Amino acid sequence: MRPHRLRRLVPLSAATALLLSGCADEAKKETPDQGTSSVKPSETHKEQKTSPPDSGRPWEPDDAMQRAERALDAHDDDGSDPQRAESGSANIASGVNKTFQAPGKRWYRLDITCDARGVEELTLTLTRGDAEQAYGIGCGDREADQFNIPPGAPFTARVDTVRSGTGLVLWRLNTIAPDDVDGCDDDIDGCGG
């Protein structure tokens, strides 16, 4: 049995504020020439409760954050002993463009997921030096996507923006022992052939 590790959660209030600001911007765009004073918080909240086609569930920031956290936690019992290096979240309208340092001897594993209204997939591009690989990240999946990166030079993770979208991206960068790397050992250089 693996030892229990402390979990560090993304502050829900900060993520919710970020999501609501994106939703308010979207609501302003949809309201012709009424200015910002006419967009009431209750209208913005009501607008968020609309469902994507065929989803069967309303989209709300708090629920989306909880679903994304569960997707990231789905790999907790995979037998590895991940050590949290960094974590974060972003609104899909802003995207992600983050450079990570990758020192040491342990491999890095980027766990990333998205939850959005009306968006099924986002594009993640991993870059290190001249090497670059693009991947699709499924939004609303029960398990986060995982990408292995060997230690070494800094690398960049970029998630393309969806300017008209409402949703979030949640990610965690963990370190894992080289023996715990599952699948491709370098998802930036690529293992397909």
Side-chain angles (χ1 to χ4, degrees):
M1 182 171 166
R2 292 186 7 227
H4 178 71
R5 65 178 171 87
L6 294 175
R7 292 176 40 197
R8 189 175 74 189
L9 298 177
V10 176
L12 187 58
S13 60
T16 302
L18 179 65
L19 291 171
L20 290 176
S21 69
C23 296
D25 289 343
E26 183 178 277
K28 283 186 246 178
K29 290 177 189 171
E30 292 175 3
T31 307
D33 299 320
Q34 292 181 356
T36 58
S37 62
S38 68
V39 179
K40 299 174 187 169
S42 61
E43 290 172 352
T44 302
H45 185 68
K46 183 185 291 182
E47 204 270 327
Q48 289 176 358
K49 288 188 175 185
T50 60
S51 298
D54 303 322
S55 73
R57 67 174 188 217
W59 194 94
E60 296 183 37
D62 293 342
D63 293 341
M65 181 65 74
Q66 290 174 9
R67 285 189 299 268
E69 286 284 345
R70 282 193 302 268
L72 288 173
D73 292 340
H75 295 292
D76 280 352
D77 296 327
D78 67 358
S80 66
D81 184 23
Q83 303 295 311
R84 181 86 45 90
E86 290 187 54
S87 63
S89 65
N91 185 308
I92 65 170
S94 302
V96 175
N97 191 0
K98 175 95 173 125
T99 298
F100 299 97
Q101 301 301 312
K105 296 185 179 186
R106 289 173 61 94
W107 248 245
Y108 288 81
R109 187 182 76 202
L110 179 65
D111 299 348
I112 188 165
T113 190
C114 55
D115 195 291
R117 180 178 59 212
V119 177
E120 293 182 16
E121 186 174 275
L122 296 176
T123 301
L124 166 71
T125 305
L126 298 172
T127 309
R128 176 184 267 165
D130 293 335
E132 182 176 281
Q133 291 291 328
Y135 298 94
I137 303 168
C139 292
D141 290 349
R142 292 183 183 262
E143 293 184 351
D145 292 299
Q146 295 184 314
F147 301 93
N148 298 314
I149 297 107
F155 69 94
T156 300
R158 188 179 73 247
V159 176
D160 292 344
T161 61
V162 179
R163 298 215 186 275
S164 62
T166 300
L168 58 87
V169 177
L170 226 62
W171 55 265
R172 291 180 186 161
L173 182 66
N174 300 300
T175 62
I176 57 174
D179 292 345
D180 288 333
V181 174
D182 186 29
C184 180
D185 67 350
D186 187 347
D187 283 311
I188 298 174
D189 193 38
C191 295

